[in-house]
Amino acid sequence: MKTKKYCIFFILLCGAWNLFAQQRPLPDSIPPAPADTLTFSTDSLNLALDSLPPPLFSGVVFSKDSLDAPVEYEARDSMILDVEDQKVHLFGQAVVKYTTITLQADYIVFDWKSSIVSAEGRPDSTGQLAGFPQFSEGEQTFEAKRMRYNFKSRKGMVYEVTSQQNDIFIHAEKSKFISGAVTETDTTANDVICSHNGLFTTCTADHPHFGIRAKKMKIIPDKMVIVGPSYLEIGGVPTPIALPFGFFPIPGGKQTGLLFPNDYEYSDQWGFGLRGVGWYFPINDHLNLQLRGNIYPFSGTWGVSATADYRKRYKYSGGMTINYDSQRRENNEGTFDTINSFGLSWRHNQDRAAHPTRTFGGSVNIQTNNNQQRRYNDAQSVLNTQLNSNLSYNKTYPGKPYSLSVSMNHSQNAVSREMTINFPNIQFPVQALYPFKRKERVGAERWYESIVLRYSGEAANRFVTTDTTLFTRATLDNAQFGVRHTASTGTSFKVLKFFNLNPGINYNEVWYLQSTQRNFIPGLETRDTIIQGVLRTDTLRLGRIEQFRRSGFTPYRTYSASLSLTTQIFGTMRFKSGYLRGLRHVIKPSISFNYSPNYNNPNLGYFQSVQDSIRADLIRTYSVFEGGIYGGPPQSERQMALSYSFNNIFEAKLRGKKDTVDRKIKLFDNLVLGGSYNFAADSLKFSPVTAAGTARFFKGMTTMSLGAAFDPYIADEQGRRINISVWQDRKQLLRFTRADISFNTSITVGKLRSLLQGKPEEVVEDLRTQQTGGGNKVKEEDFLSLFENFSLNHNLVMGWRTDNAGNAVFDIATNAINVQGNIQLSPNWAINVGNFGYDFRQRGLSFPSFGFSRDLHCWSLLFNWQPTRGTYNFSLAVKPGTLDFIKIPNQRNVADPLRAFE
């Protein structure tokens, strides 16, 4: 039976009737009211009251303490109305609702005289208590074994309660709940929960694995938890870690506050320290800021960082991190050195809907003094020696054939510490123009209609420096600036049906504001030696060469003309039976003629001469554009070269026993042979013949690249080409000079299944995302599933060179194997291999990094070890959340081992 009443109206009606029945008898002249005029319906209540004789209710006065809203209640099993005691008993999934308050329990008693509701559970069919009270008001909810609540005072008493505030779960023996309802006079009231013998934790288990135990506790929802004397409890066992009092913020939204340290550690070199302690600033709805620091107070080592994240919906998003690190280390002489480093990273992404014609975005990653390798020990941070940045702004003009691009790019080598920054890079490309194309074409296209004009203009500024001298005046003084204009025209048309003829003209003009100048400064340098009692004077140097940069507008211009003829030749062999069903050979021959003028002409002034500092009879030539951002003109005589190339593609068709259609595979993607002949050269007219090719095996797991060079001329004792052909010398067409071959193999379980079982490969975009934080746990199907997130890479590069004596010398340049990934042994155990490799050429390990992790429900156990670096990290910590500062760390920093990174 399910009933629903409006209790407040029933109380008023019954109370008024009893009052007049006992104190004032009904007059005889008043007829009894019809039975159907009394109803408890909300819609007809006012009509029912108005239909009674006025004298009957003329003395009734409503109490000021009465509730201001109806109380709705219902029950699944049964309901008992106790009129004498003015109580309602609800049994079985009972619910009581009053304004924003909802109470659910298996048994509820509502006392309408005192406005107190009581709730508790009842034994189920097995005799176990069930249906415990669940109380909610707005966003505040909690569960308890039993409770009492007063609707008038908005206060309640809860026993054995469990409540949740954000990620905090509060378990208390007894709690007093005070609802801070907003009124006309107080719009800042807050709910308050005062608890006795409470435990608050982030563990979601019914019996928490850890928590902070306190006799007295005060909770202000969405603000803070205030505790008196408290101690840490793990597994129900008290620990000696105690606090006299504590404030734990639990903000409901973005709130400024303390950021607890990421690590507490002890270093043999630096002593005790805190890493990552700081403060959080929610500046506005679109921007927040974190200021963190690393502090080792007993050694003078410290570091600061600022991280800002921003986002505006449908506009942009990004983040920036700036850090400065100062490490104090003991050197071999027993004194201390201070090593300072700086790092800047910034990413910005513009939403596609932000603007139809403008885009801006990219990333910046700049470091000084190996900042990343000094602060972190993981394989990715240590082995990544190449840093790059790209930032660009692009603007298109609707209806116009041109566009604008402004960019910044940066490259940095962490080993050599060389840094190149190109900023700004300005590009102004123009779309291809067809000036002779008819607007309304009638008939076939004429050959001149395909003539195309192209133009692009660009300007760039370059800084070449090191990471230790980046912020110095010398970096600005050595900046290189240039402007380049490129224009070309060309066309393409058919000749003799099967050939494509492509004439073209190219013109380049480059402007510089500086040029390179060299002067010979005489100054004889000699050395005296005594040999068998005889004094001998040797001349070491005739002088020195002074080089400097001269300011002034310095342009150069180059132009060339070309004419090429291309076609394609197809050769096919078919087989009616067997595994091999066909072979196909595609040849793409190309013959071109190129012309360029003599740029060594002294009238142009592109090249200058200077006396050699050692040999008096030697004059050296140099380009005044050396070091220019766009280089300089080629140091060559007039070129009239006939070039040739043959691009070969080999394909095959296969059909297995289970196949119904042929499979096409590529045997060689490209095998290119090429060379040239210069009619204008006075000697060495033939260029070396080169060959290069690429092939893939085992469904792309292995890529082979090869290259070779053959020279039609012989070489002298120093290895320099001389104008004597190999045919004249030894009756051979070509002389072998070099050959290279490389094999790059990348194996994953997905690729193995694709190769052996024909299943499509499940592509993993980034293995590192699955090595940290557990990643996606692979469903175990077979033994190989354990290695689903593993990647094995092998790189082999070998080559042959001819020495000055003409002998071929074999050399293995690279032979290294590398493994990375993780093994999910169980839902909670994982073995992580950040990196493990062996260099067969160097005969040593290449930065091994191992670790394991254990999921302990609300805790996590983590261990990482880098043996060659001498560092490790052990951590038993609470999972990320409000209480994640509770951890047991132990680690060895990069500065601690004797072979510390320098």
Side-chain angles (χ1 to χ4, degrees), residues 195-217:
S195 301
H196 171 73
N197 192 18
L199 177 80
F200 71 96
T201 178
T202 55
C203 181
T204 59
D206 294 335
H207 299 284
H209 301 122
F210 83 100
I212 296 178
R213 176 76 66 180
K215 288 293 182 182
K216 295 182 179 180
M217 187 183 302

Side-chain angles (χ1 to χ4, degrees), residues 421-567:
I421 300 177
N422 296 312
F423 177 77
N425 289 336
I426 303 174
Q427 294 182 339
F428 186 77
V430 178
Q431 296 177 3
L433 302 176
Y434 295 88
F436 304 109
K437 187 179 286 294
R438 291 170 291 175
K439 295 183 178 179
E440 296 182 1
R441 191 176 70 180
V442 179
E445 183 182 50
R446 297 181 175 90
W447 67 269
Y448 55 82
E449 290 187 82
S450 62
I451 295 178
V452 60
L453 296 177
R454 294 184 177 90
Y455 168 81
S456 67
E458 56 183 312
N461 189 63
R462 176 178 296 172
F463 302 94
V464 179
T465 180
T466 63
D467 60 3
T468 55
T469 60
L470 176 60
F471 302 103
T472 61
R473 180 59 184 269
T475 300
L476 297 177
D477 294 339
N478 295 329
Q480 305 169 11
F481 177 78
V483 178
R484 180 168 64 182
H485 305 274
T486 302
S488 64
T489 182
T491 186
S492 178
F493 49 87
K494 291 283 186 180
V495 175
L496 301 177
K497 190 177 180 180
F498 299 107
F499 296 90
N500 291 323
L501 187 63
N502 308 292
I505 299 176
N506 296 285
Y507 175 81
N508 292 321
E509 183 169 339
V510 177
W511 300 342
Y512 289 129
L513 300 180
Q514 290 182 330
S515 61
T516 299
Q517 299 294 324
R518 294 176 183 173
N519 293 328
F520 175 75
I521 308 298
L524 188 63
E525 296 182 16
T526 61
R527 181 181 60 184
D528 296 334
T529 57
I530 299 177
I531 301 176
Q532 296 180 354
V534 179
L535 178 63
R536 177 178 175 179
T537 302
D538 296 323
T539 301
L540 298 179
R541 191 179 300 273
L542 301 175
R544 60 184 179 89
I545 296 179
E546 180 186 47
Q547 179 173 307
F548 60 95
R549 303 285 291 176
R550 174 179 294 176
S551 299
F553 180 73
T554 308
Y556 77 84
R557 302 164 184 87
T558 63
Y559 61 91
S560 63
S562 63
L563 181 67
S564 65
L565 187 67
T566 62
T567 188

Side-chain angles (χ1 to χ4, degrees), residues 701-898:
M701 284 197 302
T702 299
T703 300
M704 181 188 72
S705 300
L706 57 87
F710 302 88
D711 201 324
Y713 299 100
I714 64 174
D716 60 13
E717 296 179 353
Q718 286 74 35
R720 295 174 300 184
R721 303 174 72 203
I722 58 177
N723 195 31
I724 300 176
S725 68
V726 179
W727 180 261
Q728 293 175 337
D729 183 68
R730 64 193 75 164
K731 299 303 179 181
Q732 296 178 359
L733 290 177
L734 300 171
R735 174 178 61 91
F736 171 78
T737 58
R738 66 169 181 85
D740 298 286
I741 184 170
S742 66
F743 295 90
N744 194 340
T745 303
S746 178
I747 301 176
T748 63
V749 172
K751 290 181 178 180
L752 285 176
R753 287 200 177 99
S754 175
L755 177 65
L756 301 177
Q757 303 175 5
K759 295 182 178 180
E761 178 188 0
E762 182 179 353
V763 178
V764 178
E765 295 294 340
D766 192 352
L767 289 172
R768 295 188 298 270
T769 60
Q770 300 193 10
Q771 297 169 19
T772 58
N776 297 328
K777 298 179 180 178
V778 179
K779 182 180 179 181
E780 185 175 354
E781 297 177 353
D782 50 30
F783 177 75
L784 287 178
S785 298
L786 289 175
F787 303 92
E788 194 77 35
N789 296 329
F790 256 80
S791 173
L792 186 146
N793 301 281
H794 179 247
N795 190 19
L796 174 62
V797 179
M798 50 188 176
W800 294 262
R801 299 286 187 276
T802 55
D803 57 15
N804 294 336
N807 300 319
V809 179
F810 175 74
D811 177 60
I812 297 179
T814 304
N815 187 11
I817 191 171
N818 177 273
V819 178
Q820 62 178 2
N822 62 8
I823 302 175
Q824 196 70 42
L825 298 177
S826 71
N828 296 324
W829 276 103
I831 297 177
N832 305 312
V833 180
N835 182 78
F836 179 73
Y838 186 82
D839 192 323
F840 295 95
R841 189 171 184 271
Q842 301 294 334
R843 298 182 180 180
L845 298 175
S846 56
F847 196 82
S849 178
F850 308 98
F852 66 84
S853 60
R854 174 73 164 94
D855 190 337
L856 300 171
H857 188 256
C858 52
W859 291 71
S860 62
L861 178 67
L862 181 67
F863 178 75
N864 288 304
W865 177 41
Q866 300 81 30
T868 59
R869 192 174 172 87
T871 58
Y872 65 84
N873 176 35
F874 172 84
S875 174
L876 177 61
V878 174
K879 287 185 177 180
T882 302
L883 302 180
D884 58 3
F885 61 89
I886 301 176
K887 61 178 62 179
I888 304 175
N890 186 17
Q891 64 183 15
R892 178 176 288 273
N893 284 314
V894 65
D896 295 336
L898 295 178

Side-chain angles (χ1 to χ4, degrees), residues 598-651:
N598 178 16
Y599 296 109
N600 289 328
N601 189 340
N603 296 327
L604 297 176
Y606 295 165
F607 298 93
Q608 301 291 338
S609 300
V610 64
Q611 167 68 51
D612 186 73
S613 62
I614 298 177
R615 295 175 53 183
D617 59 340
L618 181 62
I619 303 297
R620 295 192 177 274
T621 302
Y622 69 94
S623 171
V624 299
F625 305 103
E626 281 187 6
I629 193 170
Y630 297 115
Q635 189 176 355
S636 61
E637 303 289 339
R638 187 178 58 170
Q639 296 288 316
M640 297 177 62
L642 180 66
S643 301
Y644 58 91
S645 68
F646 299 91
N647 188 1
N648 299 268
I649 301 175
F650 297 91
E651 298 174 326

Side-chain angles (χ1 to χ4, degrees), residues 663-707:
R663 288 187 298 113
K664 186 173 70 173
I665 63 172
K666 285 188 176 181
L667 302 178
F668 262 97
D669 291 347
N670 291 284
L671 182 59
V672 183
L673 301 173
S676 64
Y677 180 85
N678 186 8
F679 292 94
D682 56 358
S683 62
L684 302 175
K685 295 187 175 183
F686 283 100
S687 71
V689 178
T690 60
T694 302
R696 292 175 174 83
F697 308 105
F698 311 117
K699 291 192 174 182
M701 284 197 302
T702 299
T703 300
M704 181 188 72
S705 300
L706 57 87

